[in-house]
Amino acid sequence: MEIVVCVKQVPDTTEVKIDPVTNTLIRQGVPSIVNPFDKNAVEAALQLKEKHGGKVTVISMGPPQAKDALKECLAMGADEALLISDRAFGGADTLATSYTIACAIKKLGNVDMIICGKQAIDGDTAQVGPEIAEHLDLAQVTCVSKIEVEGNSIKVEREHEEGYEIIETQTPVLLTVLKSINEPRFPTIKGTMKANRKEIPTWTAGDMDVNPDQLGLKGSPTQVRRIFTPQQRVQGEIIKADSAREAASKLASKLLEAKIV
Amino acid sequence: MQFQLTEEQKTMQKLVRDFAEKEVAPGAAERDEKEEFSREIADAMGEMGFAGICFPEKYGGADADVLSYILAVEELSRADAGVGITLSATVSLCAWPIFNFGTEEQKQKYLVPLTEGTKQGAFGLTEPNAGTDAASQQTVAVLDGDNYVINGSKIFITNAGEAEVYVVFAMTDKSKGVKGITAFILEKGMPGFTFGKKEHKMGIHSSMTNELIFQDVKVPKENMLGKEGQGFKIAMATLDGGRIGVAAQALGIAQAALEHAVKYSKERVQFGKSIAANQAIGFMLADMATKVDAARMLVYRAASFKDQGLPYSKEAAMAKMYASDIAMEVSTDAVQIFGGYGYSREYPVERLMRDAKITQIYEGTNQVQRMVISGSLLR
Ligand SMILES: Cc1cc2nc3c(=O)[nH]c(=O)nc-3n(C[C@H](O)[C@H](O)[C@H](O)COP(=O)(O)OP(=O)(O)OC[C@H]3O[C@@H](n4cnc5c(N)ncnc54)[C@H](O)[C@@H]3O)c2cc1C
Ligand SMILES: Cc1cc2nc3c(=O)[nH]c(=O)nc-3n(C[C@H](O)[C@H](O)[C@H](O)COP(=O)(O)OP(=O)(O)OC[C@H]3O[C@@H](n4cnc5c(N)ncnc54)[C@H](O)[C@@H]3O)c2cc1C
């Protein structure tokens, strides 16, 4: 099975700092990591490879330093890595990003499964995975927490708040995975050494069959006006009482008072 | 002179740090409380290849450098000093002498499983009556046909009972004194080779320390490490390297103590402000940080001398002595900064203080390190 995993390098912080003037992320000084969901995607791919054979290729679109993220995935056990990097890709929104990645996957050809993380922890849109599937006209299942493969058919569990759906489909397919799907393995020392020594090819716009108008800022219909940290939810109130019964009745009267019940 | 780790060293450091923070640190207090060795962690480290970092690929290693391995011991010890020495005993005290003095057959049979992490190693030199004076070995090995027959005992042996491979020293010719000591490779399970009582220690509770007991243990001749009479030289050369591991362990403890102290001093409020706002505390932190960095320079320098094939005996002794002395100082200061809470087991700094003490004692007490250093100055 030929599996492509899309990984993004993200800043290692939940509280992303934003440049107030340009409204873009301040990346300087913030250590970069592999987007946590994408590590689950790599782990899922490695487990499938271990069970069914094949090859795992990790690809990332980003600046040259995104190679570090790819190296970490190689160290975990991925076979190949590919960086797509070009100034022309700069300022891409999810549409332009997914278009560019889809073009790279098209060029790779012969792919049975594409696995993405559910979302990137910096942008949090959860759009790039599904959009890649659309560009490539592939079936897709999002929020996957379990994958089973038999020949060409695959059975997955798609998790949502009330439970999960079991969905059967055929390869080729694109899946986005949740953290609950697995526990990503640590890279081994030997894997890290091998990854460090491996050449990671870089494809620019010129290396792929792309429509320049659909790349980067130019190909991005959405523009970021302002990014901000949403206001923290105010602390809940803790009801203190001597017994559970008393606490419950205090709670009930408060809820009535607030016209919630 | 460059004071920067290479990209490769940085990735190794990050890899081990991630593992240590996620898999080692969370259970450290519990292992300390229960005096519990974790085979699970030892095996996980093996699987990830920690024991093979600085050995050639041909012997199951990753072909990285000694400094990368030293970074691993530091990072593990920052999380749990007992786990740090578990790795160091396998790598520095068992795998290394087999790599350096062993025959090709011995390397294939004993070194490869150690570097690949399927087996753990140990080093048996110290005896009840041969501590600092390691030359007065009472364990004897007598040649009988194709075997040496070993009788005697060892005390305070790290990884004893857990390890599958042992580098053990015994007297083959008493009349020759130091030149009558020979090294052997023993396997757990050899008839007559048993373990005594588990040592109850002040610190490094997550590291196993036990006695080795030999009653007519038959060791095949081909398990002799190096030549007959070469044992003391092998032991001393091994300890030269092992000391860099102990130094890294001490460094990891000191680093952890410093980090805890900085964090706590900013959070603890007395007299309406954080205690860090008192210059008395700030200056203490400044001294602690400077000592930790100075130790780091010495430790990394000793490792890098070893990597470059330069003599490193004096450098290793300086690194071990200084790093362990400041680990004791810095961890004691951390307890002080935590006040009464530092003295309580609710917080990690009292464990660090207990763990730090051993680094001044084993693999040559710090008096011995001073003997090594002054000896090389006055030669
Ligand atoms: C937890 C633990 C783990 C250990 N692991 C191992 C292991 O894996 N393998 C192994 O072989 N050993 C191991 N040891 C033994 C350790 O290396 C010895 O304890 C150490 O070498 C000191 O020997 P000793 O305890 O007999 O002290 P002694 O030699 O009795 O020393 C007592 C004191 O006298 C001082 N002293 C002795 N001689 C001199 C001198 N000539 N000049 C100045 N001062 C002197 C010493 O510095 C020390 O302060 C371990 C010990 C411990 C506690
Ligand atoms: C085993 C034990 C028994 C005890 N028994 C008793 C008892 O019987 N009765 C009782 O009342 N208490 C008792 N105590 C409490 C003990 O007296 C306090 O722990 C001690 O006074 C220090 O207070 P603290 O732990 O809150 O430290 P903190 O006040 O938080 O001090 C932390 C650090 O900050 C430093 N610091 C704080 N303020 C300043 C400043 N202005 N300038 C410079 N440095 C500063 C301190 O010196 C210390 O190094 C006991 C504590 C222990 C551990």
Side-chain angles (χ1 to χ4, degrees):
Chain A
M1 191 151 66
E2 298 291 315
I3 308 174
V4 167
V5 182
C6 304
V7 303
K8 185 180 184 187
Q9 190 180 44
V10 295
D12 183 9
T13 166
T14 34
E15 186 101 350
V16 185
K17 291 203 180 69
I18 310 292
D19 185 321
V21 183
T22 61
N23 270 346
T24 51
L25 303 178
I26 305 175
R27 286 185 177 271
Q28 221 167 13
V30 183
S32 294
I33 55 168
V34 177
N35 178 42
F37 288 97
D38 302 351
K39 277 197 175 177
N40 296 90
V42 173
E43 178 63 38
L46 293 173
Q47 287 182 12
L48 288 174
K49 176 190 141 186
E50 279 157 6
K51 217 160 157 191
H52 305 284
K55 199 175 88 193
V56 175
T57 305
V58 284
I59 67 177
S60 186
M61 178 174 122
Q65 59 267 31
K67 272 192 183 173
D68 290 343
L70 290 172
K71 274 190 183 158
E72 198 171 330
C73 300
L74 287 171
M76 283 173 76
D79 302 284
E80 300 291 337
L82 171 65
L83 178 71
I84 20 187
S85 189
D86 196 314
R87 284 202 174 272
F89 303 154
D93 68 359
T94 63
L95 186 71
T97 302
S98 58
Y99 170 73
T100 313
I101 295 173
C103 290
I105 294 176
K106 210 181 270 170
K107 185 177 171 186
L108 280 174
N110 187 32
V111 173
D112 299 303
M113 190 184 284
I114 301 163
I115 311 182
C116 300
K118 182 190 147 220
Q119 67 198 59
I121 59 162
D122 53 352
D124 272 335
T125 69
Q127 289 170 1
V128 171
E131 287 173 0
I132 292 173
E134 290 306 313
H135 286 301
L136 294 171
D137 204 12
L138 284 183
Q140 58 168 294
V141 186
T142 56
C143 302
V144 170
S145 60
K146 190 174 173 188
I147 310 171
E148 276 173 52
V149 174
E150 228 185 277
N152 283 342
S153 68
I154 68 156
K155 196 160 95 180
V156 301
E157 285 179 13
R158 176 172 194 274
E159 221 171 82
H160 44 77
E161 270 165 25
E162 282 93 46
Y164 59 85
E165 303 162 52
I166 295 177
I167 297 173
E168 280 188 37
T169 178
Q170 303 271 314
T171 56
V173 66
L174 182 142
L175 309 175
T176 77
V177 299
L178 299 175
K179 279 189 187 157
S180 57
I181 190 170
N182 54 39
E183 186 60 42
R185 68 195 63 188
F186 287 104
T188 64
I189 296 285
K190 276 192 210 173
T192 303
M193 292 294 288
K194 238 169 71 189
N196 275 338
R197 286 166 197 172
K198 200 170 166 87
E199 272 299 320
I200 297 177
T202 304
W203 288 357
T204 60
D207 294 313
M208 299 181 285
D209 183 13
V210 288
N211 172 0
D213 292 340
Q214 285 179 262
L215 299 177
L217 203 57
K218 220 177 179 187
S220 298
T222 55
Q223 235 122 71
V224 177
R225 277 285 194 65
R226 189 163 79 90
I227 305 178
F228 57 93
T229 314
Q231 213 160 38
Q232 291 273 326
R233 261 190 248 174
V234 285
Q235 258 237 289
E237 186 184 339
I238 295 170
I239 298 173
K240 286 208 183 95
D242 292 334
S243 71
R245 177 176 291 274
E246 193 190 325
S249 93
K250 271 193 186 169
L251 172 65
S253 52
K254 272 186 192 281
L255 290 175
L256 283 169
E257 224 170 87
K259 298 205 164 47
I260 293 171
V261 290
Chain B
M1 186 174 265
Q2 277 187 332
F3 291 97
Q4 283 285 325
L5 297 175
T6 64
E7 284 308 311
E8 189 172 289
Q9 288 156 350
K10 278 189 215 159
T11 28
M12 294 283 173
Q13 184 185 42
K14 179 178 179 299
L15 191 163
V16 182
R17 182 176 296 168
D18 286 350
F19 174 81
E21 286 178 352
K22 217 166 152 193
E23 303 291 317
V24 180
E30 191 185 335
R31 286 189 295 274
D32 175 59
E33 194 65 32
K34 294 188 176 158
E35 303 199 13
E36 202 169 69
F37 173 87
S38 168
R39 183 73 200 203
E40 208 183 326
I41 290 178
D43 287 342
M45 294 196 294
E47 228 167 85
M48 290 182 61
F50 290 1
I53 293 177
C54 58
F55 296 102
E57 271 170 34
K58 154 168 150 188
Y59 298 120
D63 225 349
D65 53 10
V66 174
L67 182 49
S68 295
Y69 153 65
I70 285 304
L71 292 167
V73 177
E74 177 190 346
E75 290 301 330
L76 292 167
S77 303
R78 175 172 164 264
D80 182 339
V83 170
I85 202 67
T86 300
L87 179 69
S88 186
T90 291
V91 174
S92 291
L93 299 185
C94 188
W96 187 81
I98 297 173
F99 169 66
N100 209 51
F101 298 102
T103 62
E104 191 55 35
E105 290 74 36
Q106 289 171 339
K107 288 181 201 176
Q108 289 304 333
K109 186 168 178 193
Y110 294 112
L111 176 61
V112 171
L114 291 172
T115 58
E116 288 184 344
T118 54
K119 290 184 176 169
Q120 303 290 325
F123 173 88
L125 176 69
T126 305
E127 297 182 359
N129 294 316
T132 298
D133 183 14
S136 54
Q137 294 277 309
Q138 285 170 6
T139 297
V140 289
V142 179
L143 188 61
D144 177 18
D146 286 338
N147 295 303
Y148 279 90
V149 179
I150 300 188
N151 277 289
S153 71
K154 300 286 169 183
I155 192 171
F156 298 139
I157 306 307
T158 302
N159 288 352
E162 286 295 337
E164 285 83 7
V165 182
Y166 295 79
V167 170
V168 166
F169 300 84
M171 201 57 110
T172 42
D173 188 346
K174 256 208 164 84
S175 69
K176 290 191 181 149
V178 170
K179 294 215 164 109
I181 299 171
T182 304
F184 297 92
I185 305 171
L186 270 65
E187 288 174 45
K188 183 179 179 174
M190 283 179 162
F193 178 21
T194 55
F195 308 101
K197 68 165 177 52
K198 177 178 156 183
E199 207 63 51
H200 291 288
K201 310 184 291 275
M202 175 193 285
I204 55 164
H205 287 168
S206 61
S207 131
M208 180 62 93
T209 317
N210 212 319
E211 292 171 333
L212 308 181
I213 299 163
F214 316 108
Q215 281 173 307
D216 293 327
V217 183
K218 273 192 195 158
V219 180
K221 248 181 9 195
E222 60 265 22
N223 277 29
M224 184 165 75
L225 183 60
K227 297 194 188 73
E228 204 176 90
Q230 219 189 3
F232 195 71
K233 196 185 119 197
I234 292 174
M236 292 305 118
T238 301
L239 289 173
D240 276 343
R243 276 164 199 160
I244 312 177
V246 173
Q249 183 196 24
L251 177 59
I253 296 170
Q255 175 68 32
L258 172 65
E259 287 174 36
H260 285 302
V262 168
K263 183 162 179 283
Y264 185 84
S265 68
K266 288 196 283 194
E267 289 165 359
R268 172 69 172 170
V269 174
Q270 288 288 280
F271 302 101
K273 58 185 183 193
S274 74
I275 58 167
N278 301 299
Q279 206 175 50
I281 298 290
F283 279 13
M284 247 169 117
L285 292 171
D287 287 344
M288 290 159 76
T290 307
K291 286 172 186 173
V292 170
D293 258 16
R296 181 166 285 120
M297 295 299 129
L298 284 175
V299 176
Y300 292 3
R301 180 184 71 155
S304 108
F305 268 41
K306 187 160 188 222
D307 273 325
Q308 294 170 60
L310 299 169
Y312 58 88
S313 177
K314 182 184 79 184
E315 288 69 23
M318 286 177 166
K320 193 272 191 188
M321 177 189 91
Y322 186 73
S324 61
D325 281 348
I326 70 100
M328 199 66 239
E329 292 168 19
V330 170
S331 58
T332 307
D333 288 345
V335 169
Q336 190 64 22
I337 286 173
F338 272 67
Y341 302 92
Y343 198 70
S344 158
R345 291 208 178 178
E346 290 294 308
Y347 289 87
V349 286
E350 63 83 30
R351 166 167 59 86
L352 296 173
M353 186 175 163
R354 285 184 287 110
D355 285 353
K357 185 63 209 176
I358 188 60
T359 62
Q360 294 179 304
I361 295 171
Y362 58 17
E363 301 201 27
T365 63
N366 280 4
Q367 287 72 34
V368 170
Q369 310 307 326
R370 288 175 170 90
M371 280 155 61
V372 171
I373 298 162
S374 61
S376 89
L377 292 174
L378 304 172
R379 199 161 38 208

